[in-house]
Amino acid sequence: MAPLRGQSETDVLVIGGGIAGATTALHLAERGVEVTLVEGDQPGGGATGQSGGLVAPDYIRHSPNTICDTLGADAGARLTRMIGDSAGFVFDLIDKHGIDCDPRQDGFYTPAHTGVMAKNQRAHADQWRALGYDVEFVEAAASERLFGSQRYSGALRFAAGGSLNPLGYVRGIVRAALDGGARVFADSRVISLQRRGGTWVCRTREGTIRSRRLVLAANGGNAALHPAMARTSLPLHVVQFATAPLSPQERMATLPEGGAFTDKRPYLFTARTDGLGHLISGYPTTLFVRSERAQCREAERRLRQNFAALPDPEISHLWRGLAWVNTSLLPEVYDLGDEAIAIQACNGRGIATNTALGAEVAEMLATGDREVLSVKPSRPEPIRFHAIAALLPKLLMSLAYISD
Ligand SMILES: Cc1cc2nc3c(=O)[nH]c(=O)nc-3n(C[C@H](O)[C@H](O)[C@H](O)COP(=O)(O)OP(=O)(O)OC[C@H]3O[C@@H](n4cnc5c(N)ncnc54)[C@H](O)[C@@H]3O)c2cc1C
């Protein structure tokens, strides 16, 4: 994909070719809006392509009831609807555009690692079911069989969730956006962004583009693009890895019916398998496990710790990723004034959410109706003592590692 060169103009400029920017561009193009997307790397070069590919229609820290206590009944209900529907939306988009990304709608689980959490999750399952979602609590014995792990006291199961190859997915969305009429430029890092005479002027190394409206979808990169976005999110470093294809015996004992899970331990653990039989998993980085060799040994330890059938796992691929988290751990949309909006919704859990959010932002820009957004746009607030706060995720994960 070529870089931006020379001078051009567009109605909406989207900066960032991860899943948030790509779905925004796709849905704008489908609605006949002139849209251009610029990406500093290749599409998917940020968190999206690095991700584990779990399609998770669940909150990180909330339930349908607790979100209403936090945001109010109306805003809470809207966000729950968006998150609850997000996985189905992803798999429907894949179907609609024939995207080759190993989609598996075989369930997303959040396992409970304590009896108290299991009790809470039974209540969460009731809350989701009352809203019409296919969510159940799987008791401990069943979860042991479904995961091949004895570490859990049961799990919430979201039938609409699952997994996919995230790089294949975002590339497919970009391809669909191009087919729909969007212009997309790769290797086009934005090095300056200014407002001049009612127009946004965006410069990359080789080109300049002017736009009437702007969507910042650069994840952590938003901070450097607009002064109001500085110090609004915190970095969370994550190690992802894949095993060599599991043997038939290992496969029969490890996630034998498919599905994907992320647990809620502070030192969290995730797992899914793909179409080639790799087990793909991840964990947060800490101060204690730094070199690639140490991270590989830690990956092996975590697999042994979780899966009885993998006493001697072989790691075939290991990569590092950078997720950006909001202090709310909720998706945020920021109104920057001057026809500019920012999507800041990574939180290490944005494959499904940011797909849905991108589509909503596109609808809002196409129709001018802000009510279509499930996340009310707010003004960004810098995180206090950001330089110190930015160290917290790694420090907290290091403490969690020690207690693990
Ligand atoms: C290791 C890891 C594992 C994860 N696993 C999962 C998972 O299993 N399931 C899940 O739901 N979520 C997961 N996540 C989170 C998920 O990947 C993100 O929430 C989601 O991909 C964020 O999408 P995005 O489009 O907002 O950001 P990104 O994908 O980061 O896209 C932002 C893009 O902006 C570009 N950019 C930045 N600055 C500039 C600039 N100045 N000019 C031009 N372009 C710029 C970047 O190159 C990047 O491509 C994981 C994240 C990581 C890091």
Side-chain angles (χ1 to χ4, degrees), residues 166-182:
L167 193 54
Y169 173 51
V170 70
R171 284 179 177 167
I173 295 286
V174 168
R175 170 60 46 208
L178 284 165
D179 291 347

Side-chain angles (χ1 to χ4, degrees), residues 18-20 39-40 46-48 51-54 189-190 219 240 346 348 350-351 354:
I19 199 57
E39 161 57 43
T48 300
S51 98
L54 278 65
R189 178 155 298 275
V190 174
N219 200 354
Q240 277 300 140
C346 179
I351 295 296
N354 290 12

Side-chain angles (χ1 to χ4, degrees), residues 115-355:
V116 173
M117 187 171 281
K119 190 170 160 224
N120 287 338
Q121 291 197 336
R122 279 187 202 97
H124 294 178
D126 292 343
Q127 292 168 23
W128 282 106
R129 261 203 316 278
L131 296 168
Y133 292 97
D134 187 354
V135 179
E136 62 175 325
F137 184 78
V138 176
E139 295 295 339
S143 77
E144 183 178 338
R145 185 179 51 77
L146 285 167
F147 302 151
S149 174
Q150 297 177 345
R151 293 190 88 205
Y152 299 110
S153 314
L156 259 189
R157 177 176 194 272
F158 295 80
S163 63
L164 46 69
N165 175 324
L167 193 54
Y169 173 51
V170 70
R171 284 179 177 167
I173 295 286
V174 168
R175 170 60 46 208
L178 284 165
D179 291 347
R183 291 191 301 160
V184 180
F185 298 100
D187 290 324
S188 302
R189 178 155 298 275
V190 174
I191 50 179
S192 107
L193 185 63
Q194 291 172 330
R195 183 83 177 155
R196 278 208 217 129
T199 305
W200 286 101
V201 182
C202 163
R203 289 213 164 78
T204 64
R205 200 159 48 86
E206 298 177 68
T208 299
I209 184 161
R210 290 179 164 71
S211 72
R212 187 165 74 84
R213 299 183 283 174
L214 181 68
V215 178
L216 299 188
N219 200 354
N222 286 343
L225 290 169
H226 192 290
M229 292 302 297
R231 306 188 304 280
T232 54
S233 61
L234 302 173
L236 174 68
H237 297 266
V238 180
V239 172
Q240 277 300 140
F241 57 92
T243 63
L246 300 182
S247 69
Q249 292 85 338
E250 290 169 335
R251 194 71 194 82
M252 273 166 56
T254 311
L255 289 164
E257 293 178 22
F261 73 78
T262 300
D263 71 15
K264 296 210 170 184
R265 289 174 198 279
Y267 187 47
L268 66 86
F269 183 73
T270 73
R272 71 170 176 104
T273 50
D274 71 4
L276 298 172
H278 302 108
L279 191 148
I280 296 165
S281 176
Y283 62 86
T285 59
T286 65
L287 296 168
F288 305 107
V289 184
R290 296 160 71 121
S291 69
E292 179 150 343
R293 237 178 111 211
Q295 289 176 345
C296 201
R297 278 201 304 269
E298 177 63 357
E300 290 165 359
R301 181 188 80 81
R302 295 222 80 189
L303 289 176
R304 276 196 297 274
Q305 180 188 44
N306 279 278
F307 297 114
L310 304 180
D312 191 16
E314 182 189 341
I315 309 299
S316 65
H317 300 79
L318 183 139
W319 63 100
R320 300 177 187 89
L322 181 53
W324 292 88
V325 294
N326 302 327
T327 49
S328 61
L329 288 180
L330 292 171
E332 303 284 359
V333 173
Y334 294 123
D335 182 352
L336 305 174
D338 296 328
E339 307 274 358
I341 197 154
I343 301 174
Q344 189 85 39
C346 179
N347 292 319
R349 185 66 90 69
I351 295 296
T353 317
N354 290 12
T355 301

